[in-house]
Amino acid sequence: MKRVLVITYYWPPAGGSGVQRWVKFSKYLPSCGWQPVIYTPQNPEMQSVDYTLEADIPPEVQVVKRPITEIYSIYRKLTGKAASQSQVNMVNAGKKSWKQRLMMAIRGRFFVPDPRVSWVKPSVKFLKKYLKEHPVDVIVSTGPPHSMHLIARKVSLATGIPWVADFRDPWTKIFYFKHLGLSKHTTAKHQKLEQQVLDDASVVVAVSPLVQEEFRQMTATPVELITNGFDPDDFNFAGAPVDDGFFNMTHTGQFAADGNPELLWEVLADKCRQDAMFAQKLRIRLAGKTDTQIFDSIKAAGLEANLVDLGYVNHEVVVREQAGAAVLLLPLRKEPEYRATLPGKLFEYLGACKPILGIGQTDGAMARVVADAGAGFTAGWEDKAALSDFVDRAWKAFLAGECRIGADGGLFKGGNIEKYSRRETAKAMAALLDKTKR
């Protein structure tokens, strides 16, 4: 069997969307003739823990772990808590404490491209020796953190092994880059490192067509598109999904303050005042880490009685919530760079076969996928009429027992979502590895 070395910071028992892409690739690649060899930290900073993801790792997968020292251990000593406990994203939080400002300053000035950069040198030294004794056909690095790409670049240059740079998110064009408060010198350093990675990789992989276009304008290296996806196995429940008789408008995953759909809360509050049954049946279910501003807005709209906050839950619970929804909420962050973003949860929403209400740029990557899949509707942030119309139609579909993609032949037509299954994306990755291997 051909072997691929995958350099990744995120691996179970860590939870979250950053883990799932290569866990799912690793699940299906052996059936395509590829054995993944995972290189990952022994002691990473884990924002969440999800042991259920370990069930997806097949016995063919080999995992090599090495210790890492990183800035977040210093953060814990300074603050007495993990960096993840304050808000969804410290980088673009509006108001920061002096400790957060200090950490941001340290990160921006001394840790380029990210706080995991201290792992680059020892990893390169270890992997050059390891690969002599355990050869592989291709190296893959997946980022962020983009330090993983720096490791792969140096190992590839030293060994001649072809290298695929897999970008789950952009680098200097990601939405929060402008919030890092970097100097011109540090910004230039990021740009130089990014260019080296793009130019020296054998192949670059993007997860969004708009990001693919951006990268193609920056480098002569081939840039391929392999999106995230959903695993059909996740939706084969031993028991039934959530079905409590309520009109569940469900959001899963991180819910950041800069993606707060305040106009939607207004629309729902208006409808509650106009329709007593709607007020009785509406539930806003949040499964995942949610910024306090979201809760404040929901309560300010008078919807506190309709709110169900599940907090962080494991992936198994998340997909049950998705499958049991009447509407799946997908508001993007209010950042122009998010036009190019395809959130990982979008694809699981497709797998749940429940209608999606996207909120954000109506000409962006997310809106295109939702429209192509016939899976719902994307409204602009300020389009109250469109939001109200969608809620009215989704409520009618719920009352008719037709809140499922393809059920009513109108709003939720359904389309070709199979191409977004993890089996299909793994086949695409295996084909790319076959083309790239030496």
Side-chain angles (χ1 to χ4, degrees), residues 237 239-250 283 285 287 308 310 316-326 354 398:
F237 305 120
V242 174
D243 185 11
D244 53 11
F246 288 101
F247 181 65
N248 291 314
M249 301 189 75
T250 301
R283 293 293 181 272
R285 296 179 69 89
V308 180
L310 300 175
E316 188 176 295
V317 175
V318 165
V319 293
R320 287 180 182 275
E321 287 291 324
Q322 292 166 348
K354 292 302 178 74
F398 170 77

Side-chain angles (χ1 to χ4, degrees), residues 26-249:
S26 297
K27 176 181 177 179
Y28 290 110
L29 280 175
S31 64
C32 300
W34 283 91
Q35 178 192 24
V37 179
I38 307 299
Y39 179 71
T40 193
Q42 191 175 64
N43 54 320
E45 181 71 19
M46 292 189 286
Q47 294 187 4
S48 56
V49 176
D50 186 350
Y51 289 100
T52 67
L53 293 174
E54 293 180 336
D56 279 322
I57 304 172
E60 296 93 336
V61 174
Q62 196 175 343
V63 181
V64 179
K65 294 186 176 183
R66 297 285 293 170
I68 184 174
T69 302
E70 55 183 308
I71 191 173
Y72 290 117
S73 60
I74 303 171
Y75 183 94
R76 287 197 304 272
K77 292 178 182 179
L78 284 172
T79 64
K81 60 183 179 181
S84 62
Q85 291 177 343
S86 50
Q87 63 276 315
V88 167
N89 188 349
M90 183 180 75
V91 171
N92 65 326
K95 188 176 181 180
K96 301 178 180 67
S97 69
W98 71 267
K99 291 179 180 179
Q100 290 171 334
R101 292 195 300 272
L102 174 61
M103 289 302 296
M104 288 285 293
I106 293 172
R107 169 181 169 154
R109 288 166 176 76
F110 301 109
F111 295 88
V112 179
D114 51 63
R116 282 87 191 198
V117 69
S118 62
W119 204 47
V120 173
K121 187 175 181 179
S123 293
V124 172
K125 181 180 179 180
F126 170 79
L127 287 173
K128 285 195 293 186
K129 181 180 179 181
Y130 175 86
L131 291 172
K132 288 180 181 178
E133 302 168 358
H134 308 86
V136 300
D137 298 279
V138 183
I139 297 170
V140 171
S141 56
T142 181
H146 300 300
S147 288
M148 304 304 106
H149 298 314
L150 303 189
I151 296 169
R153 175 178 178 268
K154 290 187 177 184
V155 173
S156 176
L157 290 174
T159 62
I161 301 172
W163 158 43
V164 177
D166 178 50
F167 283 85
R168 300 189 317 277
D169 285 312
W171 189 328
T172 60
K173 289 182 171 59
I174 198 165
F175 71 95
Y176 61 73
F177 188 78
K178 60 180 180 286
H179 297 298
L180 290 172
L182 304 177
S183 66
K184 289 184 179 179
H185 172 76
T186 308
T187 299
K189 189 173 180 180
H190 273 277
Q191 293 169 336
K192 179 181 178 180
L193 290 173
E194 178 184 36
Q195 197 64 53
Q196 288 176 341
V197 167
L198 293 175
D199 290 344
D200 290 342
S202 306
V203 183
V204 172
V205 174
V207 300
S208 158
L210 297 183
V211 174
Q212 180 189 30
E213 291 171 14
E214 290 175 350
F215 280 154
R216 281 179 169 173
Q217 293 172 8
M218 297 172 65
T219 184
T221 302
V223 182
E224 303 296 332
L225 173 68
I226 302 179
T227 68
N228 285 310
F230 67 92
D231 189 347
D233 289 350
D234 290 342
F235 295 92
N236 294 329
F237 305 120
V242 174
D243 185 11
D244 53 11
F246 288 101
F247 181 65
N248 291 314
M249 301 189 75

Side-chain angles (χ1 to χ4, degrees), residues 398-426:
F398 170 77
L399 293 175
E402 296 176 343
C403 247
R404 182 175 173 84
I405 293 176
D408 69 355
L411 181 59
F412 317 124
K413 297 176 183 177
N416 179 18
I417 67 169
E418 180 58 28
K419 62 184 177 182
Y420 299 117
S421 77
R422 294 289 191 183
R423 290 191 185 97
E424 293 303 312
T425 59

